[in-house]
Amino acid sequence: MSENKSFFQTLPGILTGLAAVLSAVTGLYLALRNDLPNGNSDQGVVELSVESFSFDPMPPTQDRPVIVTSLVRNSGNAEAKEGEVEQVSFNYPGYRSWYGQIETKVTVNPRKSIVEQNYENNALNKKIPVLKDRN
């Protein structure tokens, strides 16, 4: 005689139930901890934003390198002084074409490798011209 068992009376069912309970308890534990950077801890939070960026030369010329300088602010209270602004510069090899106007974007923390409460303010867009190379 074969017995029809409920799914939760089988080994896979029991393991599934245990996994659900373990996930719920772990989630509750993490939510109640005060030492995580969630804005409610004494450790504080990092909150990065791009305030501005500029080009040298401006406007850039097609196929010529340009130095991009960006001002990044940490308005949080961790990893840097609150309100601290850092200037970041890097070389960009150049735009492959010329444009009357092209939207250019600078992003800080693009891979979200630094925990923040708000990632929406991590990018700044700006329309700029790119001159045609006359050579």
Side-chain angles (χ1 to χ4, degrees), residues 1-12:
M1 207 184 240
S2 73
E3 220 178 283
N4 287 335
K5 291 183 179 180
S6 158
F7 175 73
F8 289 104
Q9 291 178 332
T10 65
L11 182 59

Side-chain angles (χ1 to χ4, degrees), residues 20 79 90:
E79 295 295 323
F90 59 93

